[in-house]
């Protein structure tokens, strides 16, 4: 499998592949690859002539140094998974120096307010970091199509906004959430949970499924109260936020409008490990 640690050699390798009618699919990741990542790659492989995967734990999107330090880094295992999936995948695993040229700081973006909700409120600066790295990766790779999981739905909307505002020529494609057998959304952070915590974390999707059932019958205030109570009864989990929001603006919904698409968003702390999930409601 072709592996590149620096952008110059990757760009040289990609240049002859950018001929007419050929396409480059791109899956950006921070590694610790799981089935959810592999599903994005399978879609890219099926839809494009070439597929590039990046593995880079981007320091500028972490507002919590402990979270950055503890983020799983499993490059050797990841390379084996990629090779098993398809040895033609092109891997870009850059160093911080290669991406940031000695200055690991974020650019400042205006995402029309999408950045001020949910993850943006609880992780200040996070989306400037995401915008910075995704824009740089798009500029280096110039993909035709880029694949993102819907678990990070706010990130997906922000990347679409960044692409539109910067007139980048890439199709941003959202892909369904992959879940473990107990319906916990797949995430690299799940590796940090104990077996028991991982099992108990199935409560998150159970609650979201019940929210979906309640959505047509109850007010969003009543549903939010019920969610808070469900976590109050569960001392191992701390609810960071729960909100029902408009999919397009990500603004919280107090009164439902039948012409809008809504989604529930949740972030929960289990033993200081942050888990997020989301479900479409209508
Ligand atoms: O979703 C992620 O893993 C990261 O936020 C991304 C898109 C790879 C940027 O670092």
């Amino acid at each position: 499998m072709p592996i590149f640690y620096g952008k110059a050699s990757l760009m040289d390798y990609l240049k002859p592949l950018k001929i007419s009618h050929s396409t480059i699919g791109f899956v950006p990741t921070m590694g610790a690859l799981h089935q959810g990542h592999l599903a994005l790659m399978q879609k890219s492989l099926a839809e494009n002539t070439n597929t590039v995967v990046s593995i880079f734990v981007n320091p500028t999107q972490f507002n919590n140094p402990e979270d950055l330090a503890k983020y799983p880094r499993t490059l050797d295992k990841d390379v084996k998974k990629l090779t098993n999936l398809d040895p033609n995948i092109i891997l870009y695993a850059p160093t911080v120096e290669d991406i940031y040229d000695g200055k690991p700081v974020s650019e400042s973006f205006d995402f029309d307010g999408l950045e001020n909700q949910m993850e943006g409120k609880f992780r200040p600066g996070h989306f400037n970091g995401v915008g910075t790295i995704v824009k740089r990766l798009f500029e280096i790779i110039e993909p035709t199509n880029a694949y993102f999981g819907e678990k990070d739905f706010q990130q997906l909307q922000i990347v679409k906004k960044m692409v539109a505002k910067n007139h980048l020529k890439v199709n941003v494609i959202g892909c369904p959430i992959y879940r473990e057998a107990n319906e916990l959304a797949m995430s690299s952070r799940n590796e940090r949970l104990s077996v028991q915590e991982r099992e108990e974390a199935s409560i998150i999707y159970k609650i979201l499924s019940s929210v979906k059932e309640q959505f047509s019958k109850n007010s969003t205030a009543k549903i939010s109260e019920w969610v808070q109570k469900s976590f109050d009864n569960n001392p191992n989990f701390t609810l960071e936020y729960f909100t029902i929001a408009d999919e397009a603006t990500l603004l919280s919904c107090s009164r439902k409008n039948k012409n809008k698409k809504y989604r529930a968003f949740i972030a929960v702390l289990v033993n200081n490990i942050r888990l997020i999930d989301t479900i479409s409601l209508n």
Side-chain angles (χ1 to χ4, degrees):
M1 189 176 61
I3 305 181
F4 298 90
Y5 302 100
K7 58 179 172 292
S9 49
L10 173 71
M11 287 162 93
D12 279 352
Y13 183 86
L14 292 178
K15 214 176 277 165
L17 304 181
K18 291 176 185 164
I19 45 174
S20 63
H21 304 302
S22 81
T23 58
I24 293 186
F26 174 45
V27 182
T29 81
M30 297 204 297
L33 301 178
H34 51 67
Q35 197 49 47
H37 292 120
L38 301 187
L40 300 181
M41 292 165 200
Q42 269 160 338
K43 192 165 164 62
S44 174
L45 287 162
E47 295 179 354
N48 297 279
T49 325
N50 294 286
T51 287
V52 179
V53 169
S54 65
I55 295 183
F56 179 62
V57 181
N58 173 36
T60 64
Q61 71 186 74
F62 286 82
N63 57 311
N64 176 346
E66 189 191 333
D67 194 23
L68 172 61
K70 291 195 170 159
Y71 201 86
R73 288 159 173 88
T74 56
L75 187 60
D76 292 347
K77 259 164 93 181
D78 292 345
V79 168
K80 284 200 186 105
K81 286 183 189 169
L82 293 174
T83 314
N84 283 341
L85 183 66
D86 189 329
N88 296 313
I89 287 175
I90 301 158
L91 174 62
Y92 178 41
T95 57
V96 174
E97 181 59 32
D98 185 57
I99 292 287
Y100 286 105
D101 294 326
K103 286 189 261 14
V105 283
S106 299
E107 287 172 49
S108 187
F109 290 90
D110 172 6
F111 298 115
D112 290 344
L114 293 177
E115 71 277 28
N116 298 328
Q117 312 304 318
M118 304 178 289
E119 292 298 287
K121 271 190 201 150
F122 286 88
R123 304 183 67 188
H126 170 66
F127 286 119
N128 277 333
V130 170
T132 303
I133 183 61
V134 174
K135 186 160 163 274
R136 282 187 196 187
L137 291 169
F138 283 175
E139 284 163 356
I140 294 166
I141 294 158
E142 299 182 314
T144 324
N145 300 305
Y147 299 82
F148 291 81
E150 282 184 351
K151 179 173 75 69
D152 300 291
F153 191 85
Q154 186 173 12
Q155 167 172 280
L156 172 65
Q157 299 296 66
I158 277 181
V159 170
K160 285 183 178 168
K161 180 71 77 182
M162 187 272 289
V163 164
K165 286 198 156 192
N166 290 280
H167 312 287
L168 302 182
K169 285 200 220 97
V170 47
N171 304 310
V172 176
I173 299 168
C175 305
I177 299 176
Y178 242 76
R179 296 186 179 279
E180 301 196 2
N182 70 355
E183 308 275 28
L184 172 64
M186 284 198 184
S187 162
S188 305
R189 287 192 173 83
N190 294 355
E191 290 209 359
R192 293 179 52 204
L193 300 169
S194 69
V195 175
Q196 194 188 334
E197 286 163 350
R198 205 156 169 152
E199 211 29 69
E200 286 175 2
S202 64
I203 185 180
I204 300 170
Y205 186 70
K206 286 199 184 94
I207 286 180
L208 286 184
S209 302
S210 174
V211 165
K212 191 174 170 102
E213 262 179 53
Q214 294 179 47
F215 183 68
S216 58
K217 301 172 220 144
N218 295 338
S219 70
T220 56
K222 197 163 170 206
I223 296 173
S224 301
E225 215 173 282
W226 175 81
V227 172
Q228 183 64 61
K229 273 204 190 116
S230 309
F231 282 101
D232 289 346
N233 294 334
N234 210 315
N236 295 339
F237 294 79
T238 308
L239 179 63
E240 196 169 69
Y241 65 75
F242 169 79
T243 183
I244 293 177
D246 178 339
E247 277 197 358
T249 61
L250 302 182
L251 293 173
S252 280
C253 154
S254 43
R255 280 184 66 157
K256 296 174 216 163
N257 174 332
K258 66 176 178 1
N259 299 317
K260 290 190 172 172
K261 290 271 298 155
Y262 294 104
R263 200 169 252 279
F265 297 86
I266 194 165
V268 174
L269 290 170
V270 188
N271 190 14
N272 244 357
I273 301 160
R274 259 182 117 251
L275 302 176
I276 63 170
D277 204 346
T278 175
I279 194 166
S280 145
L281 298 175
N282 61 336

